[in-house]
Amino acid sequence: MTENSLTAIIVDAMGKPCPMPLLMLKKALKNNAGKVFLLKSSDPHSQQDVSRYCQLHDLDCRPHKISDYEYHYLIES
């Protein structure tokens, strides 16, 4: 774990189907601009959704596949 992930705002979207992980991330970003976020998702489609969203909005996104059913994204806004 990096220092950023220890101080990140956690967005727990485990068990939520697409598009909920992305919608939860958008809400967190809106309410906490300039922060670091750790998005946790169990939806494999979140890999494309979150990566593309971050790319479009110039957000630094570091994805980590924890297992076949768990994906983490460290996002800096």
Side-chain angles (χ1 to χ4, degrees), residues 5 41 49 51 65 77:
S5 63
S41 176
D49 294 344
S51 296
K65 183 176 179 180
S77 60

Side-chain angles (χ1 to χ4, degrees), residues 46-63:
S46 67
Q47 295 176 83
Q48 285 182 311
D49 294 344
V50 172
S51 296
R52 183 70 179 137
Y53 178 82
C54 289
Q55 184 181 38
L56 288 171
H57 294 277
D58 293 323
L59 301 170
D60 181 31
C61 178
R62 285 171 265 161

Side-chain angles (χ1 to χ4, degrees), residues 9-43:
I9 295 170
I10 296 174
V11 179
D12 189 355
M14 294 296 292
K16 308 246 190 264
C18 196
M20 285 308 294
L22 183 57
L23 294 175
M24 291 172 72
L25 174 62
K26 285 180 177 182
K27 182 178 179 180
L29 285 166
K30 181 179 178 182
N31 295 331
N32 299 286
K35 303 284 182 165
V36 177
F37 301 87
L38 177 60
L39 172 63
K40 297 179 179 184
S41 176
S42 55
D43 188 329

